[in-house]
């Protein structure tokens, strides 16, 4: 234990390449929200325990990286561009002094229209970095004299992890392109990067939808990008198609030209069922620099919503999307945007809200990143009796206007966006008589880990859109890893109108967990339907059906 750190919570540690001192990022306590105001950078001598404080660092500080020029050592790190907590990441740098006085923390990426996402330490040279660049990812290298980053190469799609050899002449990366899932690649930073692993070769046997890059303008003329996935086996001229818009999370996330095969549901999963899928990159994401990302500060749901609408309208005008069969969905901030969308318009015939935010004020009170949530929603309840900015930006405030059927999914143990967000949204929809299902996954956090739950999410979401968008282009593939069996087709069958579903996972019946705690989410008597029990698969699952309406 290093006593001079005073019991602070250590977040990251990296040793100087020559075996010297440690660069240490710490918070005052383990609570995530504390990092917004208490994160600090230190240099620690591992032999003596002596600590040199290099000062306070900004929100989301991470990835400390050593480098030197003219025998002077520096520590670079990533953090959100001050002064707020909402915006793009930047690379900051500080000279490590011989004495106690710390140097100035300088922003080495100020003014760039790309955002850094990772630093790679190079023992014998300046660091490399990954930068988001629209739909792609670029590798940059720091010029030690100019102390600015210069582009080395750009790779289509996503590079998620980057490490470098001692000389920096070879890098290893985890990367994905439009039709290839994440795999390990290696090569010189300037490219080409050759694939070393082949994790899912069987996916090459599946006929996926054509994935197109989109470029279009927002209503105010700002250049935007995104992706369109056409139904498998179809081309644009075969349209119009039912269109599902999937909004990315964050809001600082982005859609890249990678293989859309995750578990949210993935765009290609819907494309194999006959849907066109729109993956927009509205303002707020990290693909176009700090200013682009910071637009949503105190303004979530504003310009990012109209950016999405502009893309949908373009696809309708181009004959790709059927205006009478539009769906929308998202997870986390994408779930917020889906909930927000259906409170602003009734043009969507179905919506999916996965771990979405319904009330920014309540999220400040119950979530784990209150300072950041205030920066997004614009205010907190403790600021006075109101009116509050966050109420104007919360989907719950527009629940009376919702007419779109909604599928609400949430993990029981989510601490990032607590279950109370979906419970509140469900109660509002029930109050106003809106058709919806509410599904709670036990033991799950903000993202789902258990295989059965992931499969259920895939099947359930596709069945939901099938029900309301009435697709006529369903395509089955023999390699479909989650193709429902006759029994699981019963599981995906929507309940009778006017009911909600609370789904309890494997092991609930006769196990450590009982149905009773789930029923306690609602202040009324819950009736379990024996018919629903026999229809479910796997067998150790319970569907709780409760009358809907006001």
């Amino acid at each position: 234990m290093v006593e001079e750190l005073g019991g602070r919570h250590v977040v990251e540690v990296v040793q100087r390449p020559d075996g010297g001192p440690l660069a240490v990022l710490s918070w005052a306590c383990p609570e995530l929200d504390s990092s917004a105001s208490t994160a600090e950078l230190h240099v620690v001598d591992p032999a003596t325990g002596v600590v040199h404080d290099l000062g306070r660092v900004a929100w989301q500080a991470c990835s400390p990286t050593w480098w030197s020029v003219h025998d002077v050592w520096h520590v670079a790190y990533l953090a959100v561009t001050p002064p707020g907590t909402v915006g793009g990441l930047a690379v900051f740098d500080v000279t490590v002094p011989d004495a106690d006085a710390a140097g100035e923390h300088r922003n080495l990426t100020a003014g760039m229209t790309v955002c850094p996402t990772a630093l790679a330490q190079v023992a014998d040279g300046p660091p490399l970095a990954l930068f988001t660049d629209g739909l792609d990812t670029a590798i940059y290298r720091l010029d030690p004299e100019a102390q600015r980053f210069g582009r080395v190469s750009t790779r289509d799609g996503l590079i998620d992890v980057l490490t470098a050899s001692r000389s920096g002449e070879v890098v290893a990366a985890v990367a994905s392109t439009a039709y290839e899932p994440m795999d390990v690649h290696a090569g010189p930073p300037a490219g080409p990067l050759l694939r070393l692993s082949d994790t899912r070769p069987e996916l090459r046997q599946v006929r996926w939808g054509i994935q197109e890059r989109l470029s279009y303008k927002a209503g105010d003329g700002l250049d935007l990008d995104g992706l369109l996935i056409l139904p498998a086996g179809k081309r644009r001229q075969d349209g119009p198609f039912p269109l599902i818009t999937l909004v990315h999370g964050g809001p600082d996330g982005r859609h890249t030209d990678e293989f859309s095969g995750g578990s949210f549901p993935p765009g290609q999963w819907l494309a194999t069922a006959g849907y066109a899928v729109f993956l927009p990159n509205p303002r707020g994401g990290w693909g176009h620099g700090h200013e682009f990302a910071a637009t949503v500060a105190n303004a979530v749901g504003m310009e990012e919503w109209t950016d999405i609408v502009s893309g949908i309208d373009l696809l309708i005008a181009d004959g790709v999307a059927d205006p009478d069969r539009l769906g929308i969905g998202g997870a986390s901030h994408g779930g917020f945007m889906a909930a927000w969308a259906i409170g602003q318009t009734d043009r969507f015939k179905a919506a999916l809200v996965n771990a979405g935010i319904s009330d920014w004020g309540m999220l400040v009170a119950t979530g784990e990143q209150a300072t950041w949530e205030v920066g997004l929603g614009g205010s907190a309840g403790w600021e006075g009796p109101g009116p509050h900015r966050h109420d104007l930006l919360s989907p719950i405030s527009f629940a009376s206007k919702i007419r779109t059927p909604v599928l609400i999914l949430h993990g029981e143990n989510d601490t990032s966006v607590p279950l109370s967000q979906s419970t509140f949204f469900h109660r509002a929809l029930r109050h106003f008589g809106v058709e919806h299902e509410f599904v709670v996954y036990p033991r799950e956090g903000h993202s789902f880990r258990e295989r059965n739950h992931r499969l259920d999410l895939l099947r359930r979401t596709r069945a939901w859109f099938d029900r309301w968008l009435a697709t006529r282009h369903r395509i089955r593939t023999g390699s479909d890893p989650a193709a429902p069996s006759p029994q699981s087709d019963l599981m995906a069958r929507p309940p009778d109108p006017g009911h909600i579903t609370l789904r309890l996972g494997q092991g609930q019946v006769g196990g450590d967990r009982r149905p009773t705690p789930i029923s306690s989410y609602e202040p009324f008597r819950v009736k379990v339907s024996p018919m629903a029990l026999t229809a479910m698969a796997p067998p150790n699952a319970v569907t709780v059906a409760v009358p809907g309406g006001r």
Side-chain angles (χ1 to χ4, degrees), residues 528-546:
V528 179
S529 165
M531 182 176 296
L533 288 177
T534 59
M536 296 297 292
N540 289 339
V542 179
T543 295
V544 182
V546 239

Side-chain angles (χ1 to χ4, degrees), residues 25 84 131-132 143 148 199 223 225 290 297 385 410 417 489 498 500:
L25 280 172
F131 280 75
T132 62
D143 181 335
R148 295 290 288 180
T199 54
D223 290 329
D225 58 44
H290 166 66
H410 218 114
V417 179
D489 272 336
I500 61 147

Side-chain angles (χ1 to χ4, degrees), residues 30 40 80 131 146 155 176 181 186 199 203 205 214 240 250 263 309-310 317 325 334 336 339 432 444 448 489 534 539:
E40 295 180 358
V80 170
F131 280 75
R155 180 180 172 85
S176 170
T199 54
L203 294 181
Q205 307 304 313
L214 296 177
S263 63
V309 171
S310 296
R325 292 190 291 169
F336 155 73
F432 291 109
E444 297 290 9
F448 295 173
D489 272 336
T534 59

Side-chain angles (χ1 to χ4, degrees), residues 216-222 224 245 247 278 280-284 292 295-296 299-314 328 336-337 340-341 344-345 347-348:
Y216 64 99
K217 290 188 179 295
D220 59 3
L222 182 69
L224 299 169
T245 298
V247 187
F278 175 40
N281 280 325
R283 272 167 270 208
F292 185 88
T295 306
V296 297
V300 287
M302 299 284 99
E303 289 174 315
E304 58 178 328
W305 162 235
T306 57
D307 288 350
I308 294 170
V309 171
S310 296
I312 295 173
D313 289 343
L314 171 68
I328 190 167
F336 155 73
M337 284 304 304
W340 177 261
Q344 308 304 308
T345 178
R347 69 191 301 188
F348 297 104

Side-chain angles (χ1 to χ4, degrees), residues 44-56:
V44 179
D45 185 328
T48 64
V50 174
V51 176
H52 293 285
D53 292 324
L54 300 185
R56 192 68 58 85

Side-chain angles (χ1 to χ4, degrees), residues 6-21:
R8 292 180 61 84
H9 179 67
V10 173
V11 182
E12 285 191 68
V13 177
V14 62
Q15 188 166 33
R16 207 167 72 183
D18 62 358

Side-chain angles (χ1 to χ4, degrees), residues 227-483:
L227 296 165
L228 169 67
I229 305 176
L230 293 169
K234 301 294 182 179
R235 298 187 177 275
R236 276 182 174 246
Q237 55 266 35
D238 299 322
F241 307 104
L243 178 77
I244 299 174
T245 298
L246 296 180
V247 187
H248 65 65
D252 46 26
R254 63 175 180 137
H255 289 300
T256 64
D257 197 10
E258 63 178 310
F259 178 63
S260 183
S263 63
F264 155 54
Q268 287 287 4
W269 167 252
L270 296 170
T272 60
Y275 296 101
V277 180
F278 175 40
L279 306 175
N281 280 325
R283 272 167 270 208
W286 279 351
H288 298 283
H290 166 66
E291 296 299 329
F292 185 88
T295 306
V296 297
N298 307 317
V300 287
M302 299 284 99
E303 289 174 315
E304 58 178 328
W305 162 235
T306 57
D307 288 350
I308 294 170
V309 171
S310 296
I312 295 173
D313 289 343
L314 171 68
L315 294 174
I316 293 173
D318 286 350
V320 174
D322 183 342
D324 295 322
R325 292 190 291 169
L326 300 178
I328 190 167
S332 193
H333 189 82
F336 155 73
M337 284 304 304
W340 177 261
I342 58 178
Q344 308 304 308
T345 178
D346 60 1
R347 69 191 301 188
F348 297 104
K349 298 302 185 288
L352 166 63
V353 177
N354 183 0
I357 297 99
S358 63
D359 188 306
W360 289 102
M362 186 166 66
L363 188 60
V364 171
T366 60
E368 58 188 359
Q369 302 180 78
T371 304
W372 187 42
E373 313 299 0
V374 171
L376 291 169
S379 62
W382 55 64
E383 295 172 1
H388 295 295
R389 173 70 174 169
H390 66 255
D391 289 327
L392 298 177
L393 303 178
S394 294
I396 203 72
S397 300
F398 301 88
S400 64
K401 299 181 178 181
I402 295 175
R403 301 294 181 268
T404 302
V406 188
L407 174 61
I408 307 171
L409 309 177
H410 218 114
E412 178 187 17
N413 298 328
D414 192 341
T415 57
S416 180
V417 179
L419 178 59
S420 55
Q421 292 288 322
S422 285
T423 303
F424 194 14
F425 196 52
H426 145 64
R427 289 179 178 177
L429 296 182
R430 186 189 65 201
H431 176 77
F432 291 109
V434 180
E435 185 89 24
H436 70 288
E437 287 183 24
F438 178 26
V439 187
V440 176
Y441 292 82
R443 303 178 296 280
E444 297 290 9
H446 197 53
S447 58
F448 295 173
R449 302 297 183 188
E450 296 183 26
R451 182 176 183 274
N452 282 351
H453 291 164
R454 288 187 171 209
L455 290 175
D456 182 79
L457 183 149
L458 290 172
R459 296 164 178 161
R460 188 179 294 274
T461 53
R462 200 157 79 174
W464 182 255
F465 286 120
D466 283 352
R467 177 183 178 186
W468 298 106
L469 302 187
T471 178
R472 298 185 296 271
H473 306 283
R474 172 62 61 90
I475 297 173
R476 292 290 187 189
T477 65
S479 299
D480 183 349

